[in-house]
Amino acid sequence: MDRYQEALAASHVLTDESVVAAEVNKIIEKANEYASPETYAFLFSSIDLTTLSSEDNERSVAAFTERVNAFDNEYPQYKNVAAICVYSNFAEVVDTVLDVEGVDIAVVAGGFPSSQTFQAVKVADVALAVAGGANEVDIVMNIGQFLAEDYESLTDEIVELKHTARGAKLKVILETGALRTAENIKRASVLAMYSDADFIKTSTGKIYPGASLEAAWVMCQCIKEYYQKTGRKVGFKAAGGIRTAEEALRYYAVVKEVLGDEWLNRDLFRIGASSLANNLLSTMEGKEIKFF
């Protein structure tokens, strides 16, 4: 048994689909207990506010960033979003325009969303994005290598991209909709953390089905187990199709129930979204708001 198989075999996270579903249903039943103005404000402050459109350009990304700047003045009672997330070639635009504190610059890089390109291209993409001002980098795990069980190539690539990102946080997207099963999601989570990922993230929201509560539960169980073994805290990010305050609250509940309050901060919990920001803000203010 090689070291990759040993790492996978050492995980005892439950992956029986019926058990996972039952555990998630229990959490869903409790989720509304956590609904409060403070929770919704926290969820808002945990958003990676995202624009990933083929129509993006320097002017539109600059305007997008200006809305984040304006939020501090118009809603000083709330913390701003956690990060602005854009394509890697727009990192410098965000870095130039962003003038509020506490908002990170996140990029998707490394052959997003398929991860199908030369490793050298991925390395260059990450390096250029970080040089442009990105302090968070979201990459996609190579699902083809994962399904082929080429774990050495898979993990070596993540390790190299982590090294290339230097001080920037590396979020590894598992693309759980492509992995399909709880067992695959567990294996992908273990391998990503084994490769020094700072966060594991559900989905790109581009090709396959986005986040699911079942995937979130398995990923959070893996994070918990990994922390108990190593003492290193890995963050969790849900992304792909999370649009309403109610949906966001359920992911909050999963993290709270599985990982506890220690993970309920912007360093360890994120939601990747675009329309969710307005929905949460509307919930917080008690009226419909279309700010972003």
Side-chain angles (χ1 to χ4, degrees):
M1 185 181 293
D2 63 28
R3 55 181 176 161
Y4 309 102
Q5 293 292 350
E6 286 178 0
L8 295 172
S11 175
H12 300 294
V13 170
L14 296 173
T15 57
D16 181 287
E17 305 284 349
S18 61
V19 172
V20 173
E23 292 298 318
V24 168
N25 283 333
K26 290 179 188 176
I27 293 173
I28 289 173
E29 289 175 3
K30 289 188 67 175
N32 285 337
E33 297 177 14
Y34 300 127
S36 70
E38 294 76 19
T39 300
Y40 289 129
F42 167 73
L43 286 166
F44 181 89
S45 73
S46 302
I47 291 175
D48 286 358
L49 191 66
T50 303
T51 179
L52 297 173
S53 168
S54 298
E55 299 173 2
D56 288 344
N57 55 63
E58 290 188 7
R59 185 183 304 168
S60 69
V61 171
F64 187 75
T65 306
E66 287 287 13
R67 296 307 290 159
V68 174
N69 290 339
F71 184 83
D72 269 16
N73 292 325
E74 298 195 32
Y75 294 95
Q77 68 271 37
Y78 301 124
K79 286 185 179 180
N80 214 320
V81 295
I84 296 173
C85 185
V86 296
Y87 282 114
S88 54
N89 52 306
F90 294 118
E92 192 168 357
V93 175
V94 179
D95 188 46
T96 300
V97 177
L98 187 65
D99 63 11
V100 292
E101 295 183 358
V103 178
D104 286 340
I105 301 170
V107 298
V108 293
F112 181 93
S114 68
S115 193
Q116 296 290 6
T117 189
F118 298 103
Q119 186 168 327
V121 172
K122 297 179 185 181
V123 169
D125 192 15
V126 171
L128 287 167
V130 172
N135 47 23
E136 300 186 1
V137 179
D138 295 25
I139 64 165
V140 184
M141 174 179 283
N142 191 312
I143 302 301
Q145 289 176 340
F146 174 84
L147 295 175
E149 298 187 10
D150 184 3
Y151 299 143
E152 183 171 9
S153 297
L154 175 75
T155 57
D156 283 353
E157 179 174 276
I158 296 172
V159 168
E160 182 170 4
L161 293 176
K162 168 64 178 172
H163 176 75
T164 303
R166 299 182 181 275
K169 289 179 181 176
L170 187 72
K171 306 192 195 96
V172 177
I173 305 167
L174 307 185
E175 199 66 295
T176 54
L179 296 176
R180 295 184 177 86
T181 68
E183 179 63 26
N184 277 345
I185 292 167
K186 178 182 85 169
R187 287 172 169 259
S189 298
V190 170
L191 291 169
M193 292 187 290
Y194 180 93
S195 307
D196 297 330
D198 296 302
F199 270 74
I200 52 176
K201 173 180 169 181
T202 58
S203 319
T204 63
K206 288 293 183 184
I207 302 174
Y208 298 94
S212 73
L213 293 167
E214 291 77 15
W217 187 87
V218 173
M219 291 167 68
C220 287
Q221 291 289 347
C222 290
I223 290 170
K224 180 179 181 179
E225 181 183 69
Y226 182 79
Y227 172 64
Q228 290 170 343
K229 289 180 178 180
T230 68
R232 188 170 80 91
K233 292 180 177 178
V234 175
F236 168 76
K237 178 175 174 179
I242 303 169
R243 297 183 176 88
T244 69
E246 181 182 22
E247 289 168 340
L249 185 64
R250 290 179 173 183
Y251 286 94
Y252 173 95
V254 169
V255 173
K256 185 175 180 68
E257 290 293 318
V258 177
L259 292 168
D261 290 343
E262 285 184 74
W263 260 261
L264 291 174
N265 60 74
R266 299 203 295 183
D267 289 331
L268 293 169
F269 175 71
R270 297 287 180 86
I271 300 177
S274 51
S275 58
L276 175 63
N278 283 331
N279 191 288
L280 275 171
L281 191 55
S282 297
T283 301
M284 291 150 61
E285 288 291 290
K287 59 184 178 181
E288 186 177 8
I289 295 175
K290 296 182 179 179
F291 185 84
F292 294 103

